[in-house]
Amino acid sequence: MNMQNSTVMAPPPPKRLEDMRLSVVMMRDIVIKTMFRKNIDMVTELAAAVCLPIPVTQEIIDMARTQRLVEATGTLNANNGNEMGYQLTDNGKARALDALAQSEYFGAMPVPLEVYREQVKRQSIRNIQVTRDQLTSAMGHLVLPDSLLDHLGPAVSAGRSILMYGPPGNGKSSISNGIRDSLDDKVYVPRAIEYAGQVITVYDPIVHSKAEEEVQDPTSLRRVTRYDTRYVCCERPTVITGGELSLDMLDLVYNPTARTYQAPLQLKSTGGIFIVDDLGRQKEPPQAIINRWIVPLEEGKDILALQSGEKFEVPFDTLVIFSTNFHPNEIFDQAALRRIFFKIKIDGPNQQNFLKIFAMVAKKRGMPLNEETLVHLLKVKYPTIDNTYANYQPIFLIDQMISICEFEGIPYQMSPDLIDRAWANMFVKDEHIVK
């Protein structure tokens, strides 16, 4: 998908105060808290700090002036295009402190949840169409059977849920990352959203990769605002969790000091991918984890709760990828399996693809191939494990041989003896330990 599509779905900047759909008291308080905390006295700086267009920020300042919370300093700042300066009155400082006692939040004005819902529809993960070429290109570093892409392509384009299962070490995590890399367009992530007067921070630099954008002169009064800067233009987000995932990580996180909330992981991944790796290794049983996702997966909405106990709906627009080493029938009942849209088995490579991967890794690592060693590996070693090939094995064996060569002080080389030594580290023999 090209960048043109991402400009189509950009959230339009508010033109007037009434476009904001936030309480005027909340907007005024955020502005005076920001002036107080950041010691700002210029409307252009304040507009940048609260992420609003200058005219809308000026409207809020004018309102605060009529309420005697803000006053003009009476001096024009020559460095800022002869711009009028403003400062908080004593009443304004008192109001700022009072507002900070209720909530420490200041800075970017939040986006009302209702407005955010509209943006989620504009950039929905279900609107994307991934082509075979995009998927092949993103998976270019992996040797995969064509039949796997036949299954993966429609699953990714549907933007629904995918369960990948199969023996460990065959690249389920790499495939998940490849799916992420195939989504090459952008989404707009709100810095914070507002519901019932409560602020929920969403943008998280750890989860979201900010897209590069044209830098404009922050002092220019003719700044062109192409989209609502309360949002950050980002790559489609990817959240990856593994054995550490617990159900409470999917709830709102309340900060009692700041009196604000932080969005849970699935809300941060809106418009992108949520990968649950190693399903079956979490504290909670896999069935409980799937049950938590059933309503969001089926209805495209999630239910969160405030400290007060009030529950509310947020959009759920995420491609969820579950990845497990267990057979699905071992860890789920049929009702749960029915709700996962695509189930894709990821098997180990056949002998031909194993050799392709082995040769590719050897070339990358600077390890010369040796025919006698490969024959020994295929005819002597693999029959001992029923010729079960796995994607991780070439990397493991070659890295082991490299370590031995470096220790012995000899050039990189492979031999039947070195393969035997490397193989011994790949599997642990069953033996009784005498206590």
Side-chain angles (χ1 to χ4, degrees):
M1 191 174 283
N2 59 29
M3 280 302 292
Q4 198 174 355
N5 285 346
S6 62
T7 53
V8 168
M9 63 188 184
K15 291 187 171 65
R16 299 174 303 279
L17 205 53
E18 56 261 35
D19 295 343
M20 296 290 295
R21 290 159 68 176
L22 285 169
S23 106
V24 287
V25 172
M26 181 184 214
M27 290 189 283
R28 179 206 66 194
D29 283 354
I30 287 175
V31 162
I32 62 176
K33 284 190 283 186
T34 306
M35 287 177 76
F36 183 80
R37 278 279 186 246
K38 294 191 137 190
N39 199 24
I40 292 173
D41 57 5
M42 293 289 149
V43 173
T44 47
E45 285 177 38
L46 188 59
V50 296
C51 302
L52 290 179
I54 292 167
V56 178
T57 310
Q58 185 69 56
E59 277 191 77
I60 300 170
I61 285 288
D62 292 344
M63 178 177 65
R65 279 182 80 184
T66 61
Q67 295 170 0
R68 310 249 166 110
L69 301 174
V70 169
E71 61 189 3
T73 57
T75 53
L76 297 174
N77 189 316
N79 295 333
N80 277 321
N82 284 334
E83 190 186 338
M84 175 67 74
Y86 294 94
Q87 64 188 17
L88 294 173
T89 61
D90 288 344
N91 280 349
K93 287 174 189 165
R95 177 62 210 157
L97 286 166
D98 191 32
L100 283 163
Q102 290 170 41
S103 164
E104 270 286 336
Y105 185 83
F106 64 92
M109 201 66 71
V111 176
L113 177 57
E114 284 309 309
V115 175
Y116 176 49
R117 272 189 229 282
E118 293 161 17
Q119 182 55 30
V120 171
K121 283 181 196 159
R122 280 195 282 267
Q123 61 192 25
S124 172
I125 188 83
R126 295 189 183 183
N127 295 346
I128 63 164
Q129 284 301 314
V130 175
T131 64
R132 184 179 286 274
D133 286 349
Q134 279 174 304
L135 208 50
T136 306
S137 166
M139 306 275 185
H141 59 299
L142 303 172
V143 175
L144 301 171
D146 288 339
S147 59
L148 181 57
L149 289 181
D150 295 342
H151 293 301
L152 270 180
V156 176
S157 285
R160 302 295 283 271
S161 50
I162 301 173
L163 171 66
M164 290 195 287
Y165 66 98
N170 284 312
K172 290 187 290 292
S173 302
S174 303
I175 292 167
S176 300
N177 292 333
I179 291 171
R180 174 194 63 196
D181 295 343
S182 70
L183 310 178
D184 61 354
D185 62 335
K186 309 285 184 281
V187 291
Y188 293 85
V189 178
R191 298 169 200 272
I193 57 176
E194 174 272 342
Y195 172 76
Q198 302 297 317
V199 176
I200 302 161
T201 59
V202 180
Y203 174 69
D204 179 348
I206 295 167
V207 170
H208 301 111
S209 303
K210 194 173 179 179
E212 288 183 21
E213 53 190 314
E214 183 189 336
V215 178
Q216 299 188 39
D217 178 3
T219 60
S220 166
L221 289 168
R222 291 193 182 84
R223 266 193 305 167
V224 180
T225 309
R226 290 184 180 84
Y227 65 89
D228 187 340
T229 53
R230 291 177 294 167
Y231 294 82
V232 183
C233 182
C234 296
E235 310 293 334
R236 285 194 181 266
T238 304
V239 171
I240 303 174
T241 63
E244 78 285 359
L245 177 67
S246 58
L247 289 176
D248 58 10
M249 289 162 76
L250 306 178
D251 296 331
L252 280 174
V253 181
Y254 182 66
N255 181 330
T257 313
R259 293 184 177 80
T260 56
Y261 293 87
Q262 190 182 122
L265 293 173
Q266 73 278 19
L267 190 52
K268 288 180 182 178
S269 71
T270 300
I273 298 178
F274 193 113
I275 298 170
V276 182
D277 217 351
D278 269 342
L279 190 63
R281 305 266 178 235
Q282 292 76 12
K283 274 187 308 185
E284 281 102 351
Q287 185 74 45
I289 288 173
I290 288 288
N291 287 347
R292 169 63 182 81
W293 295 91
I294 282 174
V295 169
L297 287 173
E298 287 196 338
E299 299 185 16
K301 62 187 182 192
D302 196 9
I303 295 165
L304 300 176
L306 298 172
Q307 281 287 101
S308 62
E310 182 185 350
K311 293 187 172 170
F312 64 103
E313 287 178 5
V314 292
F316 184 86
D317 186 74
T318 303
L319 170 62
V320 185
I321 301 175
F322 300 102
S323 168
T324 183
N325 299 333
F326 296 96
H327 192 281
N329 292 340
E330 290 173 30
I331 53 176
F332 300 126
D333 63 21
Q334 288 307 304
L337 275 178
R338 204 169 55 244
R339 288 176 163 99
I340 297 173
F341 222 65
F342 294 91
K343 292 163 271 288
I344 301 172
K345 188 163 194 266
I346 310 290
D347 265 325
N350 58 22
Q351 190 182 88
Q352 184 188 357
N353 279 344
F354 171 83
L355 286 172
K356 258 194 214 172
I357 298 166
F358 197 91
M360 213 161 73
V361 175
K363 187 179 178 185
K364 210 171 179 181
R365 298 283 204 270
M367 168 70 81
L369 289 171
N370 171 275
E371 192 177 344
E372 185 195 0
T373 306
L374 288 173
V375 169
H376 177 73
L377 183 60
L378 299 180
K379 301 287 186 216
V380 177
K381 305 312 288 185
Y382 271 97
T384 65
I385 57 163
D386 297 327
N387 293 314
T388 306
Y389 300 99
N391 284 21
Y392 79 93
Q393 292 163 351
I395 299 168
F396 187 95
L397 292 168
I398 289 166
D399 283 354
Q400 286 280 327
M401 288 189 284
I402 284 172
S403 297
I404 296 166
C405 291
E406 286 175 348
F407 176 71
E408 302 289 0
I410 56 175
Y412 287 179
Q413 57 192 269
M414 55 177 72
S415 68
D417 174 55
L418 287 176
I419 277 284
D420 286 344
R421 289 171 70 179
W423 187 272
N425 280 329
M426 197 157 70
F427 301 102
V428 178
K429 285 181 189 168
D430 282 331
E431 52 193 350
H432 294 293
I433 298 168
V434 180
K435 292 184 181 175

